[in-house]
Amino acid sequence: MNSHARYGGEDQWTEANANALCNEIIEALRGQDWIREHPGLPLIGLGGTMRTLAKVEQKRTQYSLPVTHHYEISEEAMENIARSLPHLTSAQRKKVPGLAKDRADIIVPGVLILRTVFQLIQGDRYVVSGAGLRDGLLRDYMAGGQPVVPDALKDSIRNFIHFGPPIPEKRLQRIHQDTVTLYTALQGTPPDQADARILYASSMLHMAGKQINYFRYTQHSAYWIMNASIYGLSHRETILSASAADYHPKKNAPAAE
């Protein structure tokens, strides 16, 4: 908001204003040596700007699922957004698919700041986080001084089960073990790390939807998995976990690439 007030007073951003904002960000981070110490890592963004940019990219690519948590945006895609949005008028930006009208102005400084930081850290991609500052503040308040959990996925699912339907965790663990056994028998090899996470999430949460509707619980379980912002899964793994939880032999389950 402040950046828009200082640099984006006109209907369209000029090249000079855009460069001035980017140079201010570069100058502000000049003394932070840690910025350049780990190149090749993703830039994880949280908040409304990052989620909005994800929605814009999803509309552009005609992505079929309205899920942004852990959605990945390539460097090229974000560069295209950063080059195009500043040169549109405010009225034109309000018509961009995926871009809410109330963000038509503040989205420009947001994407310019993100791109500048991305270039400074030499990132390899952008990743959207469904978490926010409130999540961090709550954790500091509830578990201040405690170490980060060793397995984010298991801890996230444990919390989900604790507040979900009363299903014995030992039963879910047994279902997970049987799922891994079946996978290994069919594939001839144990699951790799990605498949192991998918099997674990889908096994442990496949009955979560019973809290909403017993007769359609698989559909509700899938929705819950996709929208619960589960930690420890990539965006693709989240979607596949939801598909696996919703699978039933009588359904025509779509094949995932």
Side-chain angles (χ1 to χ4, degrees):
M1 187 71 73
N2 291 336
S3 297
H4 172 69
R6 293 178 60 186
Y7 296 101
E10 301 176 4
D11 195 35
Q12 288 175 289
W13 280 61
T14 64
E15 195 71 27
N17 284 358
N19 289 336
L21 172 58
C22 295
N23 289 334
E24 180 179 333
I25 300 303
I26 293 173
E27 188 62 30
L29 297 176
R30 187 179 300 279
Q32 305 297 325
D33 295 335
W34 60 268
I35 288 284
R36 299 174 177 82
E37 290 180 354
H38 303 285
L41 294 177
L43 173 60
I44 301 175
L46 51 87
T49 294
M50 194 67 186
R51 289 192 295 270
T52 297
L53 292 170
K55 292 176 182 177
V56 170
E57 178 60 12
Q58 288 179 339
K59 288 292 185 180
R60 186 190 70 82
T61 59
Q62 297 182 340
Y63 191 69
S64 60
L65 298 172
V67 182
T68 58
H69 184 57
H70 286 173
Y71 184 79
E72 297 185 4
I73 306 174
S74 68
E75 178 181 4
E76 180 183 4
M78 190 67 81
E79 183 67 24
N80 289 336
I81 296 175
R83 287 183 180 274
S84 62
L85 287 183
H87 301 293
L88 299 177
T89 65
S90 179
Q92 289 173 327
R93 287 195 293 271
K94 290 178 181 179
K95 296 180 181 179
V96 172
L99 178 55
K101 292 182 179 180
D102 59 351
R103 288 190 173 272
D105 293 326
I106 61 176
I107 195 63
V108 175
V111 68
L112 292 176
I113 292 171
L114 271 174
R115 183 186 63 173
T116 303
V117 174
F118 183 85
Q119 292 171 343
L120 289 174
I121 69 172
Q122 302 175 59
D124 69 339
R125 65 192 185 281
Y126 300 81
V127 178
V128 184
S129 173
L133 293 176
R134 284 170 293 185
D135 295 82
L137 291 172
L138 179 62
R139 189 189 185 284
D140 286 346
Y141 177 76
M142 300 293 293
Q146 295 186 17
V148 178
V149 295
D151 193 316
L153 176 58
K154 290 185 178 180
D155 191 68
S156 183
I157 289 179
R158 179 185 60 81
N159 289 337
F160 193 96
I161 293 174
H162 180 75
F163 293 103
I167 301 172
E169 189 170 349
K170 287 185 178 180
R171 179 184 175 187
L172 296 175
Q173 292 285 1
R174 180 65 189 186
I175 292 172
H176 171 243
Q177 293 173 6
D178 291 342
T179 303
V180 173
T181 300
L182 181 60
Y183 177 102
T184 303
L186 293 173
Q187 291 291 104
T189 180
D192 59 20
Q193 291 185 355
D195 284 351
R197 289 191 292 268
I198 294 169
L199 293 175
Y200 182 76
S202 58
S203 298
M204 299 298 290
L205 298 177
H206 76 284
M207 288 191 285
K210 287 186 176 181
Q211 191 167 345
I212 300 176
N213 186 302
Y214 176 83
F215 296 102
R216 296 183 178 179
Y217 75 86
T218 60
Q219 298 175 29
H220 294 297
S221 295
Y223 179 86
W224 222 332
I225 292 171
M226 284 195 292
N227 292 277
S229 297
I230 297 172
Y231 303 130
L233 294 175
S234 69
H235 183 81
R236 179 177 183 274
E237 291 166 358
T238 299
I239 301 304
L240 290 177
S241 298
S243 297
D246 186 34
Y247 176 78
H248 191 280
K250 293 183 180 180
K251 292 182 179 180
N252 294 321
E257 296 182 358

